[in-house]
């Protein structure tokens, strides 16, 4: 079964420092991987996705993620954190081989707290 | 342009009552999804519509849950005989056609917060 794991419930980082939010995946075929962000009382917003190609994917708001097949990871990164980046981050996966399998399977979420 | 809209934004209902939640997807999006977000359960897939194909209902937790999509656009999620464990935020999302191995991102609405008392 397709799954993603986000091992950290919360990540704390000081403003201006680099941040990493971890995600590992398990799929039977090639993965389609996504990162979404959720601000308080808001729906999820798409940040970036990996389908194929370059292992480093750039997305919205200065975020990027690195796909690592050998480690089955897709960590979200940003070189310099902002207080406004504080939110709940979700990693998600879709099985790319089985075209009839369309749903996203989400991780449990990681709360990012950026302190001034 | 307009995003995904959902109504109502909040719904409080008594145990045993039926509720209907509405989703208006982005115009032109043929794929529509319902998810549920609750404490301790994270984000759960409920149902997926793609064009005129039969919906994927594999995530519906019980036969009290049903959904329909009229005219390939607006969708309604119905929960019959609500229970307290149905309390959650119900999120709707839409995307371009996902068939043929494509993987377009999903755009989410703000959600409906359902509280069953």
């Amino acid at each position: 079964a397709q799954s993603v794991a986000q091992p950290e419930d919360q990540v704390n980082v000081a403003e201006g420092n680099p941040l990493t939010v971890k995600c590992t995946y398990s799929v039977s075929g090639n993965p389609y991987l996504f990162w979404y962000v959720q601000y308080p009382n808001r729906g999820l917003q798409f940040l970036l996705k990996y389908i194929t190609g370059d292992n480093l994917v750039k997305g919205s708001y200065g975020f990027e993620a690195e796909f690592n097949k050998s480690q089955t990871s897709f960590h979200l990164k940003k070189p310099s954190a902002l207080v406004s980046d504080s939110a709940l981050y979700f990693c998600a996966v879709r099985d790319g081989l089985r075209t009839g399998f369309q749903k996203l399977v989400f991780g449990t979420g990681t709360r990012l707290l950026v302190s001034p | 342009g307009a995003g995904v809209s959902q109504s109502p934004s909040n719904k409080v209902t008594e145990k045993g009552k039926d509720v209907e939640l509405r989703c208006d997807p982005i115009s032109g999006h043929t794929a529509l999804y319902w998810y549920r977000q609750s404490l301790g359960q994270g984000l759960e897939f409920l149902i997926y519509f793609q064009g005129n194909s039969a919906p994927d209902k594999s995530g519906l937790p019980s036969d009290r849950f049903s959904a329909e999509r009229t005219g390939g656009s607006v969708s309604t999620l119905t929960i019959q005989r609500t229970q307290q464990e149905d309390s959650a935020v119900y999120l709707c999302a839409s995307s371009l056609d996902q068939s043929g191995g494509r993987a377009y991102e999903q755009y989410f609405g703000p959600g409906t917060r359902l509280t069953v008392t």
Side-chain angles (χ1 to χ4, degrees):
Chain A
Q2 290 71 23
S3 66
V4 288
Q6 293 181 246
E8 302 154 317
D9 291 335
Q10 182 162 313
V11 170
N12 299 302
V13 64
E15 188 174 32
N17 284 355
L19 69 88
T20 299
V21 183
K22 295 179 180 178
C23 173
T24 58
Y25 66 88
S26 174
V27 298
S28 56
N30 294 324
Y32 290 170
L33 294 158
F34 302 78
W35 275 102
Y36 284 83
V37 60
Q38 186 176 35
Y39 297 100
N41 300 315
R42 303 275 298 275
L44 276 70
Q45 295 180 31
F46 169 76
L47 280 179
L48 50 80
K49 67 181 178 183
Y50 172 83
I51 306 300
T52 186
D54 290 342
N55 290 339
L56 186 63
V57 179
K58 294 189 182 296
S60 306
Y61 313 122
F63 284 93
E64 57 189 29
E66 186 171 7
F67 173 71
N68 188 316
K69 189 172 184 178
S70 63
Q71 297 185 6
T72 62
S73 67
F74 189 57
H75 300 332
L76 182 70
K77 301 181 180 183
K78 188 173 182 181
S80 179
L82 300 172
V83 172
S84 57
D85 292 330
S86 298
L88 188 57
Y89 290 80
F90 289 95
C91 180
V93 67
R94 207 198 92 184
D95 187 341
L97 276 185
R98 294 196 286 152
T99 57
F101 184 85
Q102 305 293 355
K103 69 184 181 186
L104 289 178
V105 176
F106 286 88
T108 51
T110 299
R111 187 164 301 281
L112 174 67
L113 183 60
V114 182
S115 55
Chain B
V4 178
S5 61
Q6 293 185 246
S7 61
S9 55
N10 283 283
K11 176 72 176 178
V12 180
T13 189
E14 293 179 352
K15 177 182 174 181
K17 300 283 190 181
D18 297 353
V19 295
E20 286 190 351
L21 312 179
R22 176 187 170 103
C23 172
D24 281 273
I26 292 173
S27 178
H29 281 187
T30 57
L32 186 146
Y33 311 76
W34 283 97
Y35 294 87
R36 177 169 72 174
Q37 184 175 22
S38 52
L39 287 176
Q41 296 294 326
L43 273 157
E44 303 172 81
F45 165 79
L46 296 177
I47 188 168
Y48 159 66
F49 296 90
Q50 173 60 63
N52 295 321
S53 301
D56 176 354
K57 304 179 182 180
S58 60
L60 295 178
S62 78
D63 58 8
R64 296 186 295 105
F65 287 73
S66 63
E68 63 178 20
R69 190 178 184 191
T70 54
S73 180
V74 172
S75 177
T76 302
L77 177 69
T78 301
I79 308 174
Q80 296 178 309
R81 305 181 301 281
T82 52
Q83 303 294 314
Q84 288 186 331
E85 60 263 28
D86 299 335
S87 296
V89 176
Y90 289 82
L91 294 168
C92 176
S94 71
S95 74
L96 295 171
D97 186 355
Q98 298 278 21
S99 61
R102 286 166 283 187
Y104 295 110
E105 54 270 27
Q106 298 176 21
Y107 293 86
F108 284 78
T112 294
R113 182 175 297 276
L114 175 66
T115 304
V116 182
T117 61

